[in-house]
Amino acid sequence: MAVYHTNEFRAGLKLILDGTPYAIVENEFVKPGKGQAFNRVKLRNLKTGRVIDRTFKSGESVEGADVVDQDMQYLYNDGEQWHFMEPDSFEQYAAPKSVVAEAAQWLKGQEICCVTLLDGVPLGVTPPNFVELKITRTEPGVRGDTATGGVKPATVETGAVVKVPLFVEEGEVLRIDTRNAEYVSRVKE
Amino acid sequence: MKSPDHHGIPSREALQARAKLYARVRDFFAARDVLEVETPILNPHTVTDPHIESIGVSHDDRGQYLHTSPEHAMKRLLVSLRCDIYQLCKVFRAGETGRFHHPEFTMLEWYRVGWNYQELMREVEQLVMHLLPGHVRLLESGAMGYREAFLRYCGLDPWTARTEDYRIACRDVGLAPSTQYSCDDYQALLLDQVIAQRLPADRLTFIYDFPVQLASLARIDSEGRAQRFELYVGNLELANGYQELTDAGELAARFEQDNKERSRAGKRPMEPDPCLVEALREGLPDCAGVALGIDRLLMLITGADRISDVLAPRG
């Protein structure tokens, strides 16, 4: 396993701390005139997304995390595991609900997702930035209703709920930005 | 056409500010009859300081070092010249890269013969005020003992505090150390990341009288305090000065102590500079000396965010 010296620290580098994988968000070298030098580092927990602060003595070495991001096709879920396939090798990976997390609400099948693997085990799933999903339920729009800001909730085929303009109707297909769960446009079938 | 603030290339203003700064430094010392000197950058010996790494180069089949400061060579000159001297030069330190650090930087170092460090602090203040242009407004300067600074800003006494006290003080301000730190490590971290950050902005602050383990080459007074000072402008450390140690035996003991510390930290011990020990044995006059970071001063003058913004790119 690779070991990284503090002078190799840079944003994006992935490390194992206390058995948990982290990615460096920010690294600052600090040193008083005469005294120990330090690296003040902000790290994002790759499992929870939480950002922590940690101070390293310059010269310390930290174990690297064997983390890779891989494009994989989402196949199906069996209620407990979500199954993905690496399109070149056809190798399949299963990820529990806790790992798929928020991504699950955008996946109906066939989407190419980014699966983050730690030592070959899925650690997180990022859905495509844009997905196209059909509306299964929404109230008919009422012309001139501006009290709700001109939007209404719509449930799509995966169960996710997004805010849509009043003119959008049940049965239509929406283009949705998964990064902020926002409606982008209608898609003509 | 290249924009003047093209990344990695200092603006014309930054280069002009540097040229002007050098001229003003030379004016200041010429008016005070301090002699400008030049000492070798490449030397067969270097510092033993446990926290400074020298850059070694191969030259004539001999290992040599780029100086980390002109201190040793200037002290040798002081022994023979016995007059006030200053030097403006590039110095080199391995592994120091950051917002305020660069492995190659410009240092202004000067020595006043017969002065004490308190007198030198006043001259440092006068020089900095002379060099900062009108648009950088500063309130009157302040001075604070190292101990007082820790009591005021960290709520602990660095003369008596134990590792556990430091650990709690660090935790309270969100500094989470990766491993076990010594009291010295905690003090360095708190001084840089807590005390300096809480010093009044727009003001010069001197912190003086350091713990003995931070004496470096400063003299230790009868109360066991190192006669050393640091200057901060706002929260930026700019200068570091000493009442210079003149006792050759004591110097040799400090070198040895440094190397013990280097070994403990897994660093290679450095052969003590015999020329400096010899110079002190011949008789270094009583003097106070200080080193000031010119690039950081330029950052203040030009409003640069990173030290690299005031440095010309490598060829």
Side-chain angles (χ1 to χ4, degrees):
Chain A
M1 175 50 67
V3 167
Y4 294 98
H5 188 267
T6 48
N7 65 19
E8 297 173 283
F9 281 14
R10 60 185 186 280
L13 187 70
K14 296 178 178 81
L15 305 170
I16 298 277
L17 297 176
D18 317 321
T20 305
Y22 288 89
I24 294 181
V25 181
E26 234 178 80
N27 168 48
E28 198 188 356
F29 175 84
V30 300
K31 185 179 193 294
K34 289 263 194 293
Q36 175 67 44
F38 300 94
N39 288 62
R40 287 202 65 185
V41 184
K42 280 193 195 304
L43 300 132
R44 184 167 44 84
N45 183 320
L46 291 174
K47 286 184 174 165
T48 64
R50 242 185 95 224
V51 173
I52 61 160
D53 289 297
R54 193 58 75 89
T55 305
F56 296 88
K57 272 202 256 185
S58 298
E60 273 186 66
S61 291
V62 184
E63 191 189 335
D66 183 14
V67 173
V68 290
D69 289 333
Q70 197 135 34
D71 282 344
M72 290 192 205
Q73 187 173 40
Y74 166 57
L75 302 175
Y76 65 97
N77 79 75
D78 58 22
E80 283 182 359
Q81 302 280 331
W82 271 247
H83 297 270
F84 297 85
M85 183 179 72
E86 209 276 292
D88 295 327
S89 65
F90 304 112
E91 197 171 338
Q92 293 196 16
Y93 293 84
K97 173 78 191 164
S98 60
V99 166
V100 184
E102 296 292 296
Q105 61 176 325
W106 308 115
L107 304 180
K108 64 173 183 182
Q110 312 294 314
E111 294 87 352
I112 300 292
C113 300
C114 175
V115 178
T116 305
L117 298 171
L118 170 63
D119 298 326
V121 178
L123 190 71
V125 174
T126 311
N129 289 346
F130 298 100
V131 291
E132 293 181 1
L133 295 167
K134 186 182 270 188
I135 299 179
T136 53
R137 195 161 46 78
T138 189
E139 295 299 320
V142 180
R143 203 172 282 280
D145 178 4
T146 53
T148 53
V151 295
K152 61 180 181 178
T155 307
V156 296
E157 57 191 307
T158 54
V161 178
V162 290
K163 289 202 170 93
V164 297
L166 297 177
F167 58 77
V168 172
E169 293 178 27
E170 229 169 76
E172 289 189 294
V173 176
L174 303 180
R175 184 172 167 78
I176 299 163
D177 188 333
T178 61
R179 291 164 295 187
N180 50 19
E182 274 180 14
Y183 161 91
V184 178
S185 65
R186 284 183 294 181
V187 180
K188 287 202 183 82
E189 285 190 89
Chain B
M1 203 175 83
K2 242 174 218 170
S3 114
D5 57 359
H6 175 72
H7 182 71
I9 302 199
S11 64
R12 178 174 294 271
E13 288 73 29
L15 293 171
Q16 285 169 337
R18 182 180 290 273
K20 194 165 160 188
L21 185 64
Y22 288 5
R24 291 178 72 87
V25 165
R26 292 189 162 108
D27 286 347
F28 181 88
F29 287 116
R32 290 159 181 248
D33 215 12
V34 180
L35 177 68
E36 180 167 12
V37 297
E38 207 172 74
T39 58
I41 287 172
L42 208 49
N43 293 282
H45 291 92
T46 185
V47 292
T48 51
D49 191 305
H51 302 298
I52 295 178
E53 293 311 308
S54 306
I55 297 178
V57 292
S58 183
H59 175 66
D60 288 351
D61 288 333
R62 285 174 300 154
Q64 300 228 12
Y65 299 95
L66 299 176
H67 65 176
T68 60
S69 93
E71 181 169 4
H72 292 196
M74 287 180 79
K75 284 181 176 167
R76 289 183 75 186
L77 278 184
L78 282 167
V79 171
S80 54
L81 294 174
R82 311 194 87 79
C83 72
D84 302 322
I85 52 175
Y86 78 98
Q87 180 163 201
L88 197 49
C89 61
K90 283 283 188 109
V91 297
F92 304 83
R93 294 180 183 187
E96 299 192 4
T97 303
R99 190 174 160 206
F100 298 108
H101 292 83
H102 195 271
E104 170 179 348
F105 61 101
T106 302
M107 184 178 271
L108 169 64
E109 179 147 330
W110 77 98
Y111 292 86
R112 287 297 211 156
V113 174
W115 287 31
N116 68 41
Y117 70 123
Q118 299 282 347
E119 292 169 314
L120 186 58
M121 276 162 60
R122 282 192 287 278
E123 184 165 63
V124 171
E125 179 182 352
Q126 287 158 7
L127 173 74
V128 172
M129 299 311 279
H130 173 77
L131 297 178
L132 287 175
H135 73 265
V136 184
R137 294 237 166 267
L138 289 176
L139 303 172
E140 66 187 282
S141 70
M144 194 184 315
Y146 182 91
R147 186 180 186 186
E148 185 194 345
F150 270 81
L151 285 168
R152 186 188 296 184
Y153 295 112
C154 301
L156 50 78
D157 184 345
W159 265 232
T160 58
R162 289 170 306 185
T163 2
E164 182 60 13
D165 304 321
Y166 289 111
R167 200 186 59 76
I168 292 168
C170 281
R171 194 197 58 198
D172 288 352
V173 292
L175 289 168
S178 52
T179 55
Q180 296 273 325
Y181 284 11
S182 67
C183 287
D184 295 0
D185 294 338
Y186 277 122
Q187 284 179 2
L189 186 60
L190 287 169
L191 180 60
D192 200 77
Q193 294 293 303
V194 177
I195 295 171
Q197 304 308 314
R198 294 180 184 176
L199 294 177
D202 305 326
R203 181 165 160 176
L204 302 183
T205 307
F206 288 94
I207 293 183
Y208 60 94
D209 288 353
F210 281 64
V212 280
Q213 65 271 24
L214 294 174
S216 196
L217 300 187
R219 193 178 283 184
I220 294 170
D221 71 13
S222 56
E223 319 247 319
R225 296 169 305 196
Q227 295 182 318
R228 177 186 155 194
F229 67 85
E230 281 185 351
L231 167 67
Y232 290 81
V233 181
N235 56 29
L236 183 61
E237 185 204 331
L238 196 64
N240 181 32
Y242 305 143
Q243 185 70 51
E244 300 295 348
L245 177 68
T246 51
D247 182 316
E250 170 75 16
L251 177 71
R254 297 230 188 139
F255 281 161
E256 199 176 315
Q257 182 59 35
D258 280 351
N259 274 331
K260 273 191 194 146
E261 221 176 296
R262 291 185 67 87
S263 299
R264 258 203 305 277
K267 295 175 180 171
R268 190 163 63 96
M270 305 304 287
E271 190 191 338
D273 184 352
C275 301
L276 186 63
V277 179
E278 185 49 41
L280 262 60
R281 203 163 280 139
E282 271 182 50
L284 179 69
D286 274 334
C287 62
V290 62
L292 184 149
I294 286 291
D295 309 282
R296 289 186 182 176
L297 192 58
L298 270 166
M299 289 176 72
L300 291 171
I301 292 171
T302 59
D305 183 56
R306 300 189 64 84
I307 194 165
S308 53
D309 294 342
V310 298
L311 298 170
R314 271 188 269 238

